[in-house]
């Protein structure tokens, strides 16, 4: 009797296990179906922290305004540290002026750009004019990377007679032209792999940023497009820019006041205006730039090579600069220091100047079309500590061969023979430079 009872209990227990297992499998199967239907992007290889703009209303057809979808996706991405906002490949997104703000945003957000973002060409989208189109502001650890393109469609801004959108009653674009992509007040900024083309003005700008890394970056705009700097830095420190190709209508890289510890290497520049520090000291302002290294750079058919430029009347200093391993090809002016810079005319003589000191040129070779070396330094505050080694610059044309190196109040030393011979450099420090050292108060 006990055996029969135990046998019955065992059968009931097995039946209960079977029913429980069946229900568990059914629940698990339903859960699998649910996640399969609601994690489309994850099935495509994204992480669980990926926010796809298509899931927030973006059309990606190149004509619908996707600005709000981008803003909504950003708000969602900001909730999770290390999340990724995905702009997928295969789509073109029309996005108006937009700011991705760091307030209440977690750290280390990734903006994964694989598709294409285009700017509006109707003047109504820009109001009376804006300083930037796409802005990332006040963030910690922000990365924008991918194989995608940001297209500013700048021809409507550059032309005297702007293009008209056939679908809209477009009017003339505002006088103020926007930067395509700007980072402001951010710490730990990475830009990798993307392309910015045809920006209305500067392509990529860093303002008040710390710890910047730019690599495998491309800009592409015509050589005659006005003020389209490739990369512009101001009031920013600790930046590395490398393995990038910059074609534009202004400076390939522009380094402005407040910049220090900038390292640039393995960059191809052209067309454009070369790599410039300045202009500094405009409208009697104080400028401070220090510890800049530019090396392993090629420049072709640019108006300038490596340049330092400042306005009369400014104050502050440019010091501890290294230009090394620069290859130039048909560059108009390969080496320039100009303390009399004046853009647009109407400038007045002034005794005050931004001090220039400890500038090193090493292994700069190639061809020029206008003038190989020009050191135009201030009479009241001469350039000091200029050092030149292994300079070999040959004329690309017979006309260029008629121009000799030019020096005015430039002091330093030749560590090797140069081609052409630079005989105008003063080898003793100017007493005037010493007496004006107060100007270097950075």
């Amino acid at each position: 009797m006990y055996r029969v009872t135990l046998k019955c209990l065992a059968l009931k227990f097995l039946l209960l296990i079977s029913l429980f297992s069946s229900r568990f499998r059914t629940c698990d199967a339903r859960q699998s179906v649910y996640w399969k239907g609601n994690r489309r992007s994850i099935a495509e290889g994204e992480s669980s922290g990926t926010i796809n703009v298509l899931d927030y209303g973006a059309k990606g057809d190149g004509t619908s305004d996707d600005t709000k979808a981008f803003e909504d996706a950003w708000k969602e991405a900001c909730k999770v540290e290390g999340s990724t906002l995905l702009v997928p490949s295969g789509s073109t997104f029309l996005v108006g002026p937009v700011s991705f703000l760091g307030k209440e945003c977690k750290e280390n957000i990734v903006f994964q750009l694989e598709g294409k973002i285009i700017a509006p060409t109707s003047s109504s989208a820009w109001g009376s004019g804006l300083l930037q189109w796409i802005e990332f502001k006040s963030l910690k650890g922000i990365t924008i990377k991918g194989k995608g393109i940001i297209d500013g469609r700048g021809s409507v801004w550059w032309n005297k007679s702007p293009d008209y959108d056939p679908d809209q009653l477009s009017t003339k674009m505002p006088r103020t032209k926007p930067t395509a992509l700007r980072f402001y007040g951010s710490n730990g900024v990475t830009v990798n792999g993307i392309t910015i083309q045809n920006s209305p003005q500067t392509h990529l700008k860093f303002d008040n940023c710390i710890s910047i890394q730019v690599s495998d970056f491309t800009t592409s705009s015509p050589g005659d497009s006005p003020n389209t700097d490739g990369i512009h830095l101001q009031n920013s420190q600790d930046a590395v820019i490398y393995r990038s190709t910059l074609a534009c209508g202004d400076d390939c890289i522009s380094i402005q006041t407040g910049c220090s510890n900038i390292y640039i290497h393995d960059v191809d520049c052209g067309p454009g205006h070369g790599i410039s520090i300045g202009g500094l000291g405009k409208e009697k302002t104080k400028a401070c730039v220090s510890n800049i290294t530019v090396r392993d750079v090629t420049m072709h058919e640019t108006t300038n090579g490596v340049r330092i430029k400042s306005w009369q009347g400014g104050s502050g200093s440019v010091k501890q600069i290294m230009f090394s391993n620069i290859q130039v090809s048909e560059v108009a002016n390969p080496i320039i220091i100009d303390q009399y810079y004046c853009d647009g005319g109407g400038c007045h003589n002034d005794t005050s100047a931004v001090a220039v000191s400890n500038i090193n040129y090493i292994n700069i070779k190639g061809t020029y079309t206008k003038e190989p070396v020009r050191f135009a330094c201030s009479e009241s505050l001469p350039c000091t500590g200029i050092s030149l080694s292994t300079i070999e610059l040959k004329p690309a044309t017979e006309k260029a061969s008629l121009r000799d190196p030019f020096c005015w109040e430039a002091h330093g030393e030749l560590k090797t023979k140069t081609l052409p011979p630079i005989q105008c450099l003063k080898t003793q420090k100017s007493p005037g430079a010493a007496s004006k050292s107060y100007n270097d108060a950075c």
Side-chain angles (χ1 to χ4, degrees):
M1 180 177 178
Y2 287 106
R3 290 182 180 177
V4 173
T5 302
L6 289 172
K7 186 176 182 180
C8 290
L9 289 172
L11 287 172
K12 289 180 179 180
F13 181 72
L14 290 173
L15 181 60
L16 287 171
I17 291 175
S18 177
L19 289 170
F20 179 79
S21 300
S22 175
R23 290 177 180 178
F24 181 81
R25 285 194 297 270
T26 302
C27 180
D28 184 63
R30 287 176 180 172
Q31 188 178 32
S32 297
V33 170
Y34 173 80
W35 284 111
K36 185 177 180 181
N38 287 271
R39 293 177 66 183
R40 171 184 56 77
S41 59
I42 295 174
E44 294 172 357
E46 301 169 21
S47 70
S48 58
T50 296
I51 307 299
N52 191 324
V53 294
L54 291 176
D55 295 332
Y56 288 80
K59 302 299 182 183
D61 56 15
T63 56
S64 301
D65 187 350
D66 290 325
T67 309
K68 188 178 186 303
F70 273 63
E71 291 173 336
D72 291 344
W74 175 258
K75 289 178 183 177
E76 192 66 24
C78 275
K79 296 177 181 178
V80 181
E81 181 175 351
S83 65
T84 296
L85 188 154
L86 175 66
V87 181
S89 61
S91 298
T92 299
F93 301 90
L94 175 64
V95 177
V98 60
S99 290
F100 299 112
L101 304 180
K103 186 179 181 181
E104 300 180 358
C105 194
K106 300 295 184 179
E107 297 183 9
N108 302 319
I109 306 299
V110 176
F111 191 99
Q112 186 80 32
L113 177 61
E114 301 297 340
K116 186 175 185 179
I117 299 175
I118 60 174
T121 55
S122 170
S123 62
S124 60
W126 302 98
S128 59
L130 296 171
L131 295 176
Q132 60 271 328
W133 167 29
I134 300 171
E135 179 184 42
F136 291 87
K137 185 177 180 180
S138 303
L139 290 154
K140 292 183 179 180
I142 175 66
T143 295
I144 177 167
K145 66 177 183 176
K147 299 179 181 178
I149 297 172
I150 296 174
D151 188 348
R153 302 205 283 182
S155 62
V156 295
W157 302 83
W158 308 330
N159 298 340
K160 292 181 179 179
S161 299
D163 297 337
Y164 288 90
D165 188 330
D167 299 324
Q168 302 181 52
L169 293 175
S170 177
T171 58
K172 190 174 182 179
M173 303 303 281
R175 179 182 294 271
T176 301
K177 303 179 181 67
T179 290
L181 177 60
R182 179 194 187 218
F183 292 89
Y184 179 83
S186 297
N187 190 334
V189 181
T190 299
V191 176
N192 173 258
I194 69 168
T195 295
I196 303 178
Q197 64 189 31
N198 301 320
S199 177
Q201 194 161 261
T202 300
H203 290 77
L204 175 61
K205 179 181 286 188
F206 299 94
D207 192 352
N208 280 282
C209 293
I210 300 173
S211 187
I212 301 163
Q213 179 172 296
V214 178
S215 61
D216 301 297
F217 171 65
T218 301
T219 62
S220 178
S221 288
D224 61 353
S225 54
N227 304 119
T228 55
D229 298 64
I231 301 174
H232 179 102
L233 301 105
Q234 63 188 53
N235 298 312
S236 296
Q237 300 83 44
D238 305 326
V240 180
I241 300 169
Y242 63 99
R243 224 168 41 226
S244 295
T245 301
L246 309 174
C248 55
D250 210 310
D251 296 327
C252 291
I253 300 177
S254 172
I255 301 168
Q256 298 294 326
T257 186
C259 290
S260 62
N261 302 329
I262 311 295
Y263 182 29
I264 299 164
H265 67 94
D266 295 288
V267 168
D268 182 87
C269 169
H273 293 181
I275 295 178
S276 295
I277 298 173
L280 304 172
K282 186 177 182 180
E283 297 177 350
K284 299 184 182 298
T285 56
K286 180 179 180 178
C288 298
V289 176
S290 64
N291 195 19
I292 312 295
T293 297
V294 179
R295 60 176 301 166
D296 302 316
V297 170
T298 59
M299 300 187 185
H300 46 91
E301 300 178 10
T302 57
T303 56
N304 306 292
V306 289
R307 176 172 58 159
I308 299 172
K309 53 181 179 175
S310 64
W311 300 74
Q312 294 185 74
S315 62
S317 67
V318 179
K319 59 186 178 182
Q320 298 170 359
I321 313 297
M322 171 76 75
F323 298 115
S324 175
N325 299 336
I326 312 295
Q327 185 67 43
V328 297
S329 176
E330 297 188 45
V331 169
N333 309 284
I335 297 174
I336 301 178
I337 296 177
D338 182 7
Q339 287 187 284
Y340 298 91
Y341 180 71
C342 181
D343 184 14
C347 301
H348 303 286
N349 290 333
D350 201 306
T351 56
S352 179
V354 178
V356 177
S357 63
N358 298 327
I359 315 298
N360 300 286
Y361 301 90
I362 301 173
N363 194 32
I364 300 179
K365 300 179 179 180
T367 59
Y368 66 93
T369 60
K370 186 177 179 181
E371 188 174 45
V373 177
R374 183 174 184 83
F375 295 136
C377 299
S378 169
E379 291 185 359
S380 58
L381 192 63
C383 303
T384 61
I386 297 173
S387 172
L388 298 109
S389 176
T390 318
I391 309 299
E392 298 180 9
L393 298 171
K394 301 178 181 179
T397 64
E398 292 184 3
K399 184 177 180 180
S401 66
L402 300 176
R403 303 293 294 270
D404 294 325
F406 173 85
C407 305
W408 183 259
E409 293 299 337
H411 300 254
E413 63 176 327
L414 303 177
K415 293 192 174 181
T416 66
K417 292 183 178 180
T418 63
L419 180 68
I422 303 174
Q423 300 173 336
C424 56
L425 193 69
K426 295 183 178 180
T427 57
Q428 293 184 350
K429 186 176 180 180
S430 166
S435 65
K436 296 289 185 178
S437 61
Y438 66 86
N439 218 50
D440 178 9
C442 288

